[in-house]
Amino acid sequence: MLDEFSLIKSIEPKEQRHQELIKGIGDDAAIYSTENNFEQIVCMDTMVEGVHFTKATMTPYHIGWKALAANISDIAAMGGYPDYYLVSLAMPAEWSGDIKEMYRGMEDLSALYQMDLIGGDTTSTKNGLVVTITAVGHTDKRRHYLRSSAKPGDQVFITGYLGESAAGLALLQKEIDIKDQYARRQLIESHQKPMPQVEAARLLGKIPCRYAVNDISDGLASEANEIAEASGVTITINYQSLPVSKPLMFLEPSDRKQFMLSGGEDYQLLITAPEENSEELIEIFQQHHINLTKIGIVTEGCAEVYLIDEDNKTLLKKSGYNHFNSNEE
Amino acid sequence: MLDEFSLIKSIEPKEQRHQELIKGIGDDAAIYSTENNFEQIVCMDTMVEGVHFTKATMTPYHIGWKALAANISDIAAMGGYPDYYLVSLAMPAEWSGDIKEMYRGMEDLSALYQMDLIGGDTTSTKNGLVVTITAVGHTDKRRHYLRSSAKPGDQVFITGYLGESAAGLALLQKEIDIKDQYARRQLIESHQKPMPQVEAARLLGKIPCRYAVNDISDGLASEANEIAEASGVTITINYQSLPVSKPLMFLEPSDRKQFMLSGGEDYQLLITAPEENSEELIEIFQQHHINLTKIGIVTEGCAEVYLIDEDNKTLLKKSGYNHFNSNEE
């Protein structure tokens, strides 16, 4: 298996050449100043057939939607608003009839944000579709949110609900079963048509304070560890505080816990904010009918994440919680 | 086989949403204004193992170099200077030991332009390496060059020499042979370490006039047709005017002609400019020791490209000149 984390470390540039570069590698997207009142944001995300999706669980429309959603989510996690995107496809011949549907999925999502598709590349390949998207966005000057901004005393928040996308995938793969048709539909929709949290990210800007933000693309355990590492702090999450969506109530508690802690592709935002701003923050999210839940705290300590579940406090590793080998954890 | 041209047409957005978008799909890269004295340029280019390269003819270092060169060349073809790049790899396990060398190839080229690597993505795949790069650059406000700017009366120029990269590949694949070791080395270097023409593009800016520019990534025939189509003009190229590099003198005339007209990946610039600026243009390129050769003219007419070779005038199609089936042309 590839170790992406050590690879990123090994390719990280030794020097920064542009003074106007605010953040390059090491966060969800890159930001650079353009000498006006905005900062430009650029990110890039790849989905590979057989690794990130298969035709068995995703239609071409959904693949297009989700590939773009992952990029918009990265822009949102920087506090930005998405403006443009570019699409590169390495495409096997058998996919050529599906490409329009894939672009339709991207178009429908991009229309919600008035994004322009501004370029890309299309090449053939013998094996497996590879979809790479670059998104470009902007944020008001100095209103970007880095992973490295968390400080002891901060509170930890999550938007929306976690685990729905992973549960939807498990349903599609018949690893779990839920009889309730409404719950089934919602979970599968969460997996196939996830919504990036652009509005939530912009709402943070209404209360100008210090935020660390990560989007939940690889699961809460992984994302919380990334903030803890980048900020050099300890994060403690209270499992009982995590909001549970109605469809997840139908699951076995152990399945639910695994999906909520380790399930990826929810594209919710994990946020840390100073305690003195917390009340106002919760209030403004309530006013705009966007769920925001306090789930933990930031303290001094090693770059670690702890999970409190009733009376148990355990280390929550980047690899996450897996009930199949929870004895080993 | 995929038809990229009709695909691009089919996915082209029906509306342009940002007023500040100057050029989206349909040129080498996208440009948008950022309300200051510069325009930002973004482009994206993909190389696929087994389609664009194999380990038999390219080392990982060369693959990295060329993948970035293709993107920088697109920035140059818009009149821009490259600033940043992002890299996405879909990587089979057997490539993991080669990745550092690939990034070293990119780093060495990017250092020539003081570019910053600012992001990307790395995913695994079962089959065939896919390298996608996004480059971001800038140009002075309203100093960009579009394919659609050619007008009747313009003259047509080319930087450097054509056909070297294709000849280098043919040498590596033992389809041709050249005894002269210096010539061999130069052609193979042209294939493995092509140089994008950033300086040439910037030099055009010294004489502010109307330019249409395309970079030679898919061969002269293809690129000239793209300018003819985008501008709605006829381009006539005189084969005898094309500059012939010394190493290409060693080839059979029919091979040489095919490589020069249809060989891709030279990353030279094809330029049209008003006749009244031509003399000054040639002068300034001479002063800077960059080869610039007049190879043809632009006239009113259908969007077509003609080739004059001694007394013969033939239609030069996008697919280019192929001496193996020249009877059919």
Side-chain angles (χ1 to χ4, degrees):
Chain A
M1 277 298 287
L2 303 171
D3 177 1
E4 185 179 344
F5 300 105
S6 61
L7 175 65
I8 287 174
K9 266 267 167 283
S10 82
I11 62 170
E12 201 162 359
K14 299 287 171 292
E15 57 170 337
Q16 179 172 324
R17 290 172 181 152
H18 289 87
Q19 285 200 334
E20 63 274 39
L21 178 61
I22 294 158
K23 187 69 189 174
I25 282 185
D27 219 301
D28 296 294
I31 308 182
Y32 55 96
S33 161
T34 51
E35 297 178 80
N36 60 13
N37 293 321
F38 299 105
E39 292 164 356
Q40 301 293 307
I41 305 177
V42 191
C43 66
M44 191 181 208
D45 213 83
T46 295
M47 284 174 49
V48 179
E49 184 179 4
V51 178
H52 300 90
F53 64 86
T54 67
K55 278 192 170 179
T57 57
M58 297 278 282
T59 68
Y61 179 94
H62 294 137
I63 293 164
W65 178 289
K66 190 188 278 191
L68 182 57
N71 280 276
I72 295 175
S73 182
D74 281 333
I75 301 269
M78 307 301 284
Y81 193 86
D83 296 314
Y84 306 104
Y85 67 110
L86 301 89
V87 180
S88 161
L89 301 177
M91 181 163 66
E94 69 263 25
W95 273 87
S96 54
D98 299 314
I99 293 306
K100 276 194 179 181
E101 266 300 285
M102 201 180 308
Y103 275 92
R104 197 171 66 82
M106 293 187 257
E107 165 58 22
D108 282 359
L109 179 59
S110 75
L112 301 181
Y113 306 103
Q114 293 291 302
M115 295 175 80
D116 282 302
L117 169 61
I118 59 166
D121 197 5
T122 307
T123 60
S124 62
T125 180
K126 282 163 205 152
N127 313 291
L129 180 71
V130 179
V131 185
T132 302
I133 295 183
T134 287
V136 179
H138 74 276
T139 180
D140 296 339
K141 216 161 186 73
R142 288 180 291 279
R143 281 273 166 273
H144 52 265
Y145 314 136
L146 305 182
R147 288 178 189 162
S148 54
S149 300
K151 288 196 174 157
D154 285 356
Q155 303 209 318
V156 181
F157 298 89
I158 191 86
T159 61
Y161 299 103
L162 298 180
E164 287 203 342
S165 174
L169 178 62
L171 273 173
L172 287 164
Q173 293 180 326
K174 302 194 196 310
E175 290 167 1
I176 59 171
D177 193 26
I178 294 177
K179 295 279 172 280
D180 185 277
Q181 287 309 307
Y182 173 80
R184 282 185 68 88
R185 266 203 305 275
Q186 183 171 328
L187 294 176
I188 289 171
E189 169 120 347
S190 292
H191 180 71
Q192 294 180 329
K193 281 185 72 181
M195 279 302 296
Q197 298 300 307
V198 176
E199 290 74 14
R202 301 295 282 180
L203 215 45
L204 295 177
K206 302 253 182 197
I207 301 168
C209 70
R210 175 180 44 75
Y211 299 107
V213 182
N214 229 359
D215 70 317
I216 307 289
S217 48
D218 294 326
L220 177 62
S222 174
E223 311 297 345
N225 269 285
E226 283 183 358
I227 290 181
E229 281 170 23
S231 300
V233 296
T234 294
I235 291 177
T236 303
I237 290 168
N238 190 332
Y239 182 63
Q240 260 65 42
S241 300
L242 290 182
V244 182
S245 82
K246 278 183 192 161
L248 283 188
M249 296 287 196
F250 289 93
L251 296 180
E252 293 293 322
S254 61
D255 284 340
R256 183 164 61 230
K257 188 171 180 182
Q258 190 188 333
F259 294 145
M260 286 172 61
L261 294 178
S262 304
E265 300 186 344
D266 282 313
Y267 303 119
Q268 297 295 335
L269 298 179
L270 178 66
I271 302 157
T272 75
E275 194 180 2
E276 61 264 36
N277 302 100
S278 293
E279 211 167 300
E280 202 183 352
L281 200 60
I282 290 169
E283 211 166 280
I284 201 166
F285 271 73
Q286 274 175 344
Q287 282 166 15
H288 286 80
H289 308 288
I290 300 178
N291 287 322
L292 183 78
T293 311
K294 191 199 152 191
I295 63 167
I297 51 165
V298 179
T299 54
E300 275 188 61
C302 302
E304 288 174 337
V305 177
Y306 288 93
L307 183 75
I308 293 176
D309 186 4
E310 292 178 343
D311 290 340
N312 293 319
K313 183 174 177 180
T314 51
L315 191 66
L316 189 61
K317 292 183 188 163
K318 208 164 201 166
S319 55
Y321 170 86
N322 187 334
H323 74 269
F324 298 113
N325 57 11
S326 56
N327 291 334
E328 296 168 30
E329 297 284 297
Chain B
M1 275 296 289
L2 303 169
D3 178 1
E4 185 179 343
F5 299 105
S6 62
L7 175 67
I8 287 174
K9 265 268 166 281
S10 83
I11 62 170
E12 203 161 358
K14 299 288 171 293
E15 57 170 337
Q16 178 173 324
R17 289 170 181 153
H18 289 88
Q19 285 200 332
E20 64 274 38
L21 178 60
I22 295 158
K23 186 70 190 173
I25 282 186
D27 218 299
D28 297 292
I31 307 183
Y32 55 97
S33 162
T34 52
E35 296 179 82
N36 61 12
N37 293 322
F38 299 104
E39 291 164 357
Q40 301 291 308
I41 305 177
V42 192
C43 65
M44 192 181 206
D45 213 82
T46 295
M47 283 173 51
V48 179
E49 185 179 3
V51 178
H52 301 89
F53 63 86
T54 67
K55 278 192 171 181
T57 58
M58 297 277 284
T59 68
Y61 179 94
H62 294 137
I63 293 164
W65 178 289
K66 190 187 278 190
L68 183 57
N71 280 276
I72 295 175
S73 180
D74 280 334
I75 300 271
M78 307 300 285
Y81 193 86
D83 296 315
Y84 306 105
Y85 66 109
L86 302 88
V87 180
S88 162
L89 301 177
M91 181 164 65
E94 69 263 26
W95 273 87
S96 54
D98 298 315
I99 294 307
K100 276 195 180 181
E101 266 299 285
M102 200 179 309
Y103 275 92
R104 197 170 66 83
M106 293 187 257
E107 164 58 23
D108 283 359
L109 179 59
S110 74
L112 300 181
Y113 305 103
Q114 294 290 302
M115 295 176 79
D116 282 301
L117 169 62
I118 60 167
D121 196 7
T122 308
T123 60
S124 62
T125 180
K126 283 162 204 153
N127 313 293
L129 180 71
V130 179
V131 185
T132 301
I133 295 183
T134 287
V136 179
H138 74 277
T139 181
D140 296 338
K141 216 163 187 69
R142 287 181 292 278
R143 282 270 166 278
H144 52 266
Y145 314 136
L146 306 182
R147 287 177 189 163
S148 54
S149 300
K151 288 194 174 158
D154 284 357
Q155 302 209 316
V156 181
F157 298 89
I158 191 85
T159 62
Y161 299 103
L162 297 180
E164 288 203 342
S165 175
L169 178 62
L171 273 172
L172 287 164
Q173 292 180 326
K174 302 194 198 310
E175 291 166 0
I176 59 170
D177 193 25
I178 294 177
K179 295 278 172 281
D180 185 278
Q181 288 308 306
Y182 173 79
R184 283 185 66 88
R185 266 203 303 276
Q186 183 171 328
L187 294 176
I188 289 171
E189 168 119 350
S190 291
H191 180 71
Q192 294 179 330
K193 282 185 72 180
M195 279 302 297
Q197 297 300 307
V198 176
E199 290 74 14
R202 301 296 280 179
L203 215 45
L204 295 177
K206 302 254 183 197
I207 301 169
C209 71
R210 174 179 45 73
Y211 299 107
V213 183
N214 229 0
D215 70 317
I216 307 289
S217 48
D218 294 326
L220 176 62
S222 174
E223 311 297 344
N225 270 285
E226 283 184 358
I227 290 180
E229 281 171 22
S231 299
V233 295
T234 295
I235 291 178
T236 304
I237 291 168
N238 190 330
Y239 182 64
Q240 259 67 39
S241 300
L242 290 181
V244 182
S245 82
K246 278 184 193 160
L248 283 188
M249 298 287 197
F250 290 93
L251 296 180
E252 294 292 323
S254 61
D255 284 339
R256 183 165 60 230
K257 189 171 179 181
Q258 190 187 333
F259 294 147
M260 286 172 60
L261 293 178
S262 305
E265 300 188 344
D266 281 313
Y267 303 120
Q268 297 296 334
L269 299 179
L270 178 65
I271 302 157
T272 76
E275 194 180 2
E276 61 264 34
N277 301 101
S278 293
E279 212 167 300
E280 203 185 350
L281 200 60
I282 288 169
E283 211 166 282
I284 202 167
F285 271 73
Q286 273 175 346
Q287 283 167 13
H288 286 81
H289 308 289
I290 299 179
N291 287 322
L292 183 77
T293 311
K294 191 200 152 193
I295 63 168
I297 52 165
V298 178
T299 54
E300 275 188 61
C302 301
E304 289 174 334
V305 178
Y306 289 93
L307 183 75
I308 293 176
D309 186 3
E310 292 176 343
D311 290 340
N312 293 318
K313 184 174 176 179
T314 51
L315 191 66
L316 190 61
K317 291 185 189 161
K318 208 165 201 166
S319 55
Y321 169 86
N322 187 333
H323 74 270
F324 298 114
N325 57 9
S326 56
N327 291 335
E328 297 168 29
E329 295 285 295

